[in-house]
Structure formats: structure tokens, C-alpha cells
Amino acid sequence: MNITKEDIDQLNSIVRIDITADDYKDKVENVLKDYRIKANIPGFRKGHVPMSLVKKQYGKSVMIDEVNKLLQDALGNYLVEEKLDVLGNPLPKIKEDFSWDADDFSFEFELGLAPEFEVNLKPKKAIKVYKIIADDKMIDDQIIRIREQYGKIIQKDSVEEGDNVTVTFENEEKEINKKSTLKLDDFKGKANAKKFLGKKVGEVVELKSKGLFEDDHNLIKVLGVTHDDAHGLDVPLKATIDEISKTELADLNQELFDKVFGEGNVKDEAEFRAKLKEDAENQFKQQADQHMLNAVTESLIENTKFELPVEFLQKWLAVAGEKSLSDEEAKEEYQKSEKGLRYQLIENKLSKDNGIQISYDDLKDYTKGFIKTQMAQYGQMNPEESELDDIANRVLGNQQEAKRLSEQLMNEKLLNFFRENVNLDVTEVNFEDFIKEVYK
């Protein structure tokens, strides 16, 4: 057997594998001997079938199988030994005059090679990222919601500002008949809420679905309509008042602190506000981190220039899936996946050059931390180490879960690396401004 490589350019090569009869004939002979022992052919006792008949019936197919096995092993070993960083998979070149009737064979494979490049971690323009803070207004609003949640419901005879109303909404055309409880403040504008003021249980208020709420999606829950119907729904509504109530806010005292954060964990209003701020900002951190990862990813792709073996990759995509693609379909698929491929190459280089990797012990420790957090939510604050080990082993035994957690851990490692090595412009914003900035 002989293997040679011809470089077409820096990104494309052809590997040629020459196989002679001496490379495969002994393997074929051994397989045919085994066939002879096991073959059941009418007119011959088992194990006594003439070898000439076995060769005539099975010889060619066995030879083809053995040559293909030899070919795949040789190609795989060659790529490893030569340390060739290939993209996709080698593509066999079709020869019009190829025939399995010969004794010696020559096979050629096209290779698309990964480019060599340097990653630009310091673009001229710093990458804008955000630290989301919980401002005083957000904490004030959250405290009101908590005091409402733990407050006392008082039934009332007539509707006043700030009250809750339980209403049955009806419309025959859209077959709406839904009872919902909401605050007057939930309605868009003052006009709709004003219609309820002074009304008593059993009285009816005439409304229109259009403009009832700031967000039409609220109609799904309140009226029981579908998502499609909710958008632009414009029908009259008959709203019959079934119940009127007011929430008397819970006192901001030690009893409330204990209910929210556990007995003795918060001792006064200042600590209560500080804990709410800490918890809120921890939740916001996930969104800020995801935005940062996206922003750095886009910057790295934009500022790290290298060529790709485009023609090869399009040819590979045409045959790589379960269904073959036309040239045009393969081109479209490449255009959709090119950015992802570029970032994967950049991430692989950063990981290799900077020792950013995940060991099984890293993944298991990360999984155990994830499990401890979940258990704490259900009051299990100090689980045994052996219990954590058992649960982690079961979780990581699921291939999909192991992959998901591994990707999360790699993202965390990359984020820490980016914080230390990428030119970032960190801006502090509240959550409302973050949403406006990022999703404007």
C-alpha cells in the first residue's frame, strides 16, 4: 500500500491511496475459509463445499468489503499520523473508468483543510457589554409586589382605584366566556379602568378588546383566545363583575423578612433591600453574560480574517446529510452555516492556545454545584457528598445532559477568558434600559 498527498493550495489537498492484491488477499482468503466452514449450499455437507464454489459465489463481494475496510483504516490513520486538521470529511473522487475486476486499485480523496490564523482579541473599538443593576425603583416595585403577595385580601362592595376585580368576559362571535381576576392598573390607559369605578358586583361594563392592554398577548390569558386571535383582536366585550377586592399590603417587618428569606437571614429593611438587589442582579447576570458572549462572538468573527475551502465545503454539505442537496441548496446551506463554522474554528484555536479545556472532574464538579443549587431551592441545604456523587453520575450518564452541561461550562470558561483578555467597554444599566439597548 502506498499513500501520497498532493497539495492543491493551502486549503485543499488530494490524498491518493494505492492498494495492491498483496494488501488484501490474505484477509479475503481467511474470510472465504470461514464462509466455507459455515456455508449451507444444497448438495454439499456443511464444511465440505468446494473452495472454488465459495470463491465464485462470495469472492468478489468479500474482496470489495476487505478493500473498503483497508481503505478507511488507512485514510483515518494517515490523517491522524500526519496531524491534518480537516474540515468536514474526505470526499472520494469518482473515477469513470474504475472497475472492481482489477487486482490493484487506486483511490483519491479530496480534503478541505482548516486555515492557519491568529485571533484578534483586541479590536480597535472596544466591545460594548453591560452590567445590569437593580436600581431603587426596581427594588421599590418588587417590595410592593412581595407585600401584595403576602398581604390580606379584603372583599368590597364597590370598585375604587387600585382594586382587584374578578370579571367574566363575553363575546358571542369569538365564543369568549372567560372569568379572570386582574387589577384596574392592568388596563391600558385610564379610560378603561375608569369605567369600573363605582360599579358593584353583578353590574356590566362594556369594553373593546382593541387597546385593552399594553401588550395584546395579555388577551390570551385574560380572554382565553388563541395566540393568532390575540394579535389585532377588535371585538366588543361584555364584562360582568363577579367579585371586588382590595389587597391590604403586608407590613414590612421581621415576619415578612422571615417568610421571604427564611428565619433570621434578614434582620432589617436595609438588609432586605440589599438581599433583593443581590438576587435580582444574580438573575440579570445570566442575560448580561449571554449578551456579552454574543457580542464577543460577533466581534471575533468580524475581526479575525481567514479563508475557507468554500468549494470543498459546499460539495461536502451536498452529500453530508440524510438527503442529498443540489448545488444551489448546498450553497445556501453553506451561507447559513459559515459564521458558525468560523466561530467554531476560532473557539478551537483559543481553547488550544490558552489551555481552555474541560476534564471529566471539572464537568462533575460543575454538575454537583448545579445539583446543590436545585436542592437548595427545595430546602435541602447540606446534602451528603456521596448523594451528590450518585446524582451527578446519573445525570452525566445521559449523553444529552452531559453535552448540555459541558457546553454551559465551556461558555463559562470562555466568558472568564474574555473578561481578562478582550477589550470590553462595560456600561452599567438598569434592566429596562438593557432591554431597550439590546433589543431596540
Side-chain angles (χ1 to χ4, degrees):
M1 183 189 303
N2 185 47
I3 304 180
T4 56
K5 178 167 75 75
E6 177 189 356
D7 292 328
I8 307 303
D9 54 41
Q10 289 185 322
L11 299 174
N12 295 274
S13 295
I14 292 177
V15 170
R16 175 171 172 159
I17 302 177
D18 296 319
I19 296 177
T20 67
D22 289 339
D23 296 319
Y24 62 82
K25 65 180 181 181
D26 289 343
K27 291 183 173 65
V28 172
E29 197 69 28
N30 289 333
V31 173
L32 291 176
K33 286 178 181 177
D34 189 53
Y35 273 34
R36 184 186 181 217
I37 294 170
K38 298 176 180 177
N40 284 313
I41 296 179
F44 299 95
R45 284 186 297 142
K46 192 173 182 179
H48 289 76
V49 179
M51 179 57 81
S52 60
L53 187 58
V54 173
K55 285 185 177 181
K56 183 178 179 181
Q57 190 160 349
Y58 301 109
K60 189 169 185 177
S61 62
V62 170
M63 181 269 289
I64 292 173
D65 285 346
E66 293 304 315
V67 170
N68 277 321
K69 289 177 187 176
L70 195 63
L71 181 63
Q72 294 305 317
D73 288 345
L75 180 60
N77 292 335
Y78 179 79
L79 297 179
V80 172
E81 290 167 3
E82 296 296 315
K83 298 179 180 178
L84 295 176
D85 191 0
V86 300
L87 301 178
N89 291 314
L91 290 176
K93 292 192 71 175
I94 306 301
K95 292 185 176 181
E96 297 296 333
D97 60 347
F98 180 84
S99 172
W100 284 108
D101 292 331
D103 292 326
D104 300 337
F105 306 97
S106 181
F107 301 92
E108 290 184 343
F109 293 88
E110 296 179 63
L111 303 183
L113 304 178
E116 293 185 5
F117 59 91
E118 294 300 321
V119 180
N120 184 4
L121 290 170
K122 301 286 186 181
K124 292 181 181 179
K125 185 177 180 181
I127 302 170
K128 189 171 184 178
V129 297
Y130 299 91
K131 179 181 179 182
I132 308 174
I133 59 171
D135 58 17
D136 288 341
K137 181 180 181 304
M138 176 176 286
I139 301 303
D140 290 341
D141 291 344
Q142 188 172 1
I143 288 174
I144 293 296
R145 288 194 295 271
I146 291 171
R147 292 178 68 189
E148 286 180 344
Q149 180 183 347
Y150 290 96
K152 181 180 179 181
I153 303 298
I154 300 172
Q155 300 299 321
K156 297 186 61 181
D157 295 325
S158 61
V159 181
E160 297 178 292
E161 288 187 5
D163 284 351
N164 311 310
V165 288
T166 299
V167 175
T168 298
F169 292 96
E170 295 176 275
N171 175 275
E172 287 188 18
E173 178 190 350
K174 290 293 183 178
E175 299 181 347
I176 296 170
N177 191 313
K178 181 75 163 56
K179 179 182 287 190
S180 298
T181 299
L182 61 164
K183 295 173 64 175
L184 291 187
D185 295 343
D186 292 338
F187 292 112
K188 180 181 178 180
K190 294 182 179 181
N192 286 316
K194 192 174 181 180
K195 292 179 180 180
F196 285 87
L197 297 180
K199 294 290 192 294
K200 299 180 183 299
V201 172
E203 292 194 63
V204 175
V205 176
E206 301 291 338
L207 299 168
K208 289 185 177 181
S209 62
K210 186 176 182 179
L212 195 59
F213 303 108
E214 289 287 349
D215 187 347
D216 282 348
H217 289 95
N218 289 350
L219 297 173
I220 300 171
K221 180 179 179 181
V222 175
L223 302 183
V225 297
T226 65
H227 183 275
D228 289 341
D229 280 344
H231 285 282
L233 183 66
D234 187 5
V235 295
L237 296 169
K238 185 173 77 171
T240 304
I241 301 173
D242 299 307
E243 188 177 314
I244 307 164
S245 65
K246 182 176 182 179
T247 303
E248 187 177 276
L249 300 182
D251 291 333
L252 196 59
N253 56 20
Q254 190 63 50
E255 181 182 358
L256 181 64
F257 304 154
D258 291 346
K259 285 179 180 178
V260 177
F261 290 116
E263 190 171 348
N265 290 320
V266 169
K267 297 180 177 60
D268 55 35
E269 183 178 346
E271 288 187 11
F272 187 61
R273 293 180 69 88
K275 188 76 170 88
L276 290 173
K277 180 179 176 69
E278 178 187 353
D279 287 355
E281 290 180 353
N282 282 338
Q283 292 180 16
F284 296 152
K285 186 175 182 298
Q286 293 181 0
Q287 289 171 280
D289 282 351
Q290 186 59 57
H291 171 265
M292 174 182 159
L293 187 61
N294 294 342
V296 173
T297 296
E298 289 293 328
S299 175
L300 289 175
I301 293 171
E302 182 180 347
N303 292 287
T304 304
K305 305 298 184 183
F306 53 82
E307 297 297 322
L308 288 169
V310 177
E311 186 177 343
F312 169 84
L313 289 170
Q314 290 177 358
K315 288 169 67 175
W316 173 68
L317 286 169
V319 298
E322 293 181 5
K323 179 185 174 183
S324 295
L325 304 179
S326 67
D327 290 345
E328 190 61 35
E329 288 171 333
K331 185 177 181 180
E332 290 178 7
E333 186 64 27
Y334 173 77
Q335 289 171 345
K336 287 189 287 186
S337 60
E338 182 183 355
K339 285 181 71 172
L341 173 59
R342 287 183 176 277
Y343 180 68
Q344 190 61 58
L345 289 169
I346 293 169
E347 182 183 309
N348 290 344
K349 182 167 178 61
L350 288 175
S351 300
K352 181 180 178 181
D353 291 351
N354 299 281
I356 306 172
Q357 55 188 354
I358 297 174
S359 67
Y360 182 78
D361 288 340
D362 288 338
L363 183 57
K364 187 171 181 180
D365 287 343
Y366 178 77
T367 304
K368 285 161 69 173
F370 183 72
I371 294 165
K372 282 182 72 173
T373 301
Q374 286 190 318
M375 293 176 76
Q377 293 176 356
Y378 295 95
Q380 296 175 266
M381 306 304 295
N382 297 298
E384 295 288 336
E385 194 67 22
S386 58
E387 183 181 9
L388 288 173
D389 278 330
D390 288 343
I391 298 174
N393 287 334
R394 288 199 300 272
V395 170
L396 295 177
N398 181 310
Q399 194 172 7
Q400 287 185 331
E401 276 298 292
K403 181 181 178 183
R404 182 181 67 83
L405 290 166
S406 181
E407 289 173 351
Q408 286 183 2
L409 178 55
M410 177 55 77
N411 283 344
E412 284 194 12
K413 286 178 175 281
L414 286 169
L415 281 167
N416 290 333
F417 175 80
F418 292 151
R419 287 189 185 98
E420 295 176 4
N421 295 278
V422 175
N423 188 15
L424 301 176
D425 173 17
V426 182
T427 302
E428 286 193 356
V429 292
N430 61 31
F431 185 69
E432 185 177 338
D433 288 341
F434 172 77
I435 296 300
K436 289 178 182 177
E437 284 285 324
V438 174
Y439 302 106
K440 56 188 174 184

